[in-house]
Amino acid sequence: MATAVALVMTMQAAPAAWANRTNSGGTSKSASGNGSGGKITVETKIQTTVDGASGGGTKTGSLSSTDTNWTPPACWYEPAFSPKEIEANVKAWRSLSFFGIGDLVGDMLDLYYKDGHPYKDYNLDKQGKGMFWAAVVNPNRKDDPEASACDKLPFWVDNGETPKEPLAVTPKVLAEYAYDELPIPETEIKLAPAGASTVNLPTWIWLEKTRIHKISVTANLPGTGLSATTTAEPVSLHIDPGTSDAETIPASGDCMFVNGAIGEEYTAGKANQTPPCGVRYLRSTGANGSYALRATVTWKISWTSTTDPGGNLPDGTFGKTKNVTVREIQSVNR
């Protein structure tokens, strides 16, 4: 029965469920849903807007949570069908003839939504007074095992009521969904020297202010009054030189953001100074070799809502690897 019900709700209800994503910056992406594995899922109605995203074709990616035991939700329930839409789905299914499956599934659905087990006459007497809530699979996490957790048939919720279902959408769920939607700019560090580094001499590392800054995503569910804004703020840059034959500056390898920037740009006259952020390689890479220097930004994540106190979500990281060649200067003693 579950598979047949999934088919009816997917085939006939899809036009009533829609998805939209608008951006004030960054790239646009539509959320979507489907029915499979015996579940009923619909496309999410959540809309998101981005504030603070870098333009100009800047490459972006998604955060990896620093808490390995936490991920944004893989599924949830949200308002999806009116009583008339539920009725229309059942009737549309009955109009199809395929080895008698249409009437079979129609009978099953009527038992649930029409004959009082648990709903009577599709709740038509409550038209405009509530909605049937259905499962939504997070399009960013449709392959997660947790995506199968939302396996209930659409259930009724009166307007203004909070569902008792623990997986029902809330401001926090919206905030966690927005976590996945944050367009994090690629970590493009600057190095000096820009070409090959030199053994025992520091390589300066910095991030320009224009390359990295606060980013927010607001997620709202139209018609419910539910919304949340998730904000990512860069706090540090971790340097992994790609070899044990190196020393990071500072020794921890963690360069903190100061006045919106990481490190300090190298300029003429600083050759004898120690950079606030950098690396000193102790061994050359040899002919045609390089070290895979990994630069990873840690982002502090917080969220707010007009209907919820808000709070913090796990920090996230996003990094990039850069190949660095290190040469050794030979001196001649006479």
Side-chain angles (χ1 to χ4, degrees):
M1 173 181 175
T3 302
V5 172
L7 287 174
V8 63
M9 299 303 290
T10 301
M11 292 178 62
Q12 303 302 324
W18 51 270
N20 185 31
R21 185 176 195 271
T22 57
N23 276 324
S24 58
T27 57
S28 178
K29 183 175 68 174
S30 293
S32 63
N34 54 54
S36 62
K39 303 190 308 296
I40 296 173
T41 63
V42 296
E43 292 184 338
T44 184
K45 296 178 182 178
I46 295 174
Q47 297 177 325
T48 60
T49 54
V50 181
D51 182 38
S54 300
T58 300
K59 292 182 179 181
T60 61
S62 301
L63 289 172
S64 295
S65 172
T66 58
D67 183 349
T68 57
N69 295 317
W70 179 89
T71 60
C75 71
W76 58 85
Y77 296 95
E78 66 180 58
F81 306 107
S82 71
K84 289 183 179 180
E85 287 170 336
I86 288 289
E87 181 187 32
N89 274 284
V90 177
K91 290 183 177 179
W93 182 261
R94 286 189 181 280
S95 68
L96 301 177
S97 59
F98 183 73
F99 298 106
I101 295 296
D103 284 334
L104 175 62
V105 176
D107 289 344
M108 292 176 179
L109 291 174
D110 273 344
L111 180 66
Y112 190 79
Y113 290 109
K114 181 183 178 183
D115 299 335
H117 303 284
Y119 303 108
K120 187 173 179 60
D121 294 329
Y122 315 105
N123 274 9
L124 288 173
D125 60 331
K126 293 187 176 182
Q127 181 71 26
K129 299 179 181 179
M131 294 284 286
F132 286 97
W133 288 42
V136 169
V137 174
N138 186 338
N140 300 303
R141 300 186 175 273
K142 59 182 181 296
D143 295 325
D144 288 8
E146 293 80 6
S148 63
C150 301
D151 56 2
K152 294 183 178 180
L153 289 170
F155 54 88
W156 179 260
V157 179
D158 287 328
N159 289 338
E161 286 194 1
T162 300
K164 295 180 180 179
E165 165 58 48
L167 294 177
V169 67
T170 63
K172 188 175 182 181
V173 168
L174 293 177
E176 293 173 339
Y177 172 70
Y179 187 110
D180 260 344
E181 293 290 294
L182 287 163
I184 303 300
E186 201 168 59
T187 308
E188 290 285 359
I189 58 173
K190 297 287 186 179
L191 301 179
S197 295
T198 302
V199 170
N200 292 324
L201 295 180
T203 297
W204 291 60
I205 298 175
W206 71 94
L207 270 171
E208 298 174 331
K209 288 185 179 181
T210 56
R211 292 290 306 174
I212 198 161
H213 43 73
K214 279 187 180 181
I215 301 169
S216 295
V217 169
T218 297
N220 75 87
L221 190 56
T224 66
L226 298 177
S227 69
T229 298
T230 300
T231 301
E233 181 179 5
V235 292
S236 65
L237 175 73
H238 181 75
I239 300 299
D240 180 348
T243 175
S244 59
D245 293 317
E247 298 172 347
T248 54
I249 307 170
S252 64
D254 294 321
C255 305
M256 305 307 294
F257 272 73
V258 179
N259 297 324
I262 279 283
E264 183 180 314
E265 182 177 359
Y266 177 83
T267 57
K270 295 182 179 180
N272 295 322
Q273 298 180 23
T274 299
C277 182
V279 61
R280 181 182 287 108
Y281 286 101
L282 308 179
R283 187 185 298 273
S284 68
T285 51
N288 302 318
S290 63
Y291 294 128
L293 185 152
R294 180 76 177 173
T296 303
V297 175
T298 294
W299 298 75
K300 181 178 177 61
I301 313 298
S302 60
W303 69 279
T304 58
S305 171
T306 57
T307 57
D308 195 284
N312 294 323
L313 294 174
D315 290 350
T317 60
F318 187 53
K320 185 178 181 180
T321 299
K322 190 179 186 71
N323 292 327
V324 178
T325 300
V326 182
R327 64 186 181 184
E328 187 168 9
I329 296 178
Q330 302 292 333
S331 60
V332 179
N333 295 323
R334 296 181 182 276

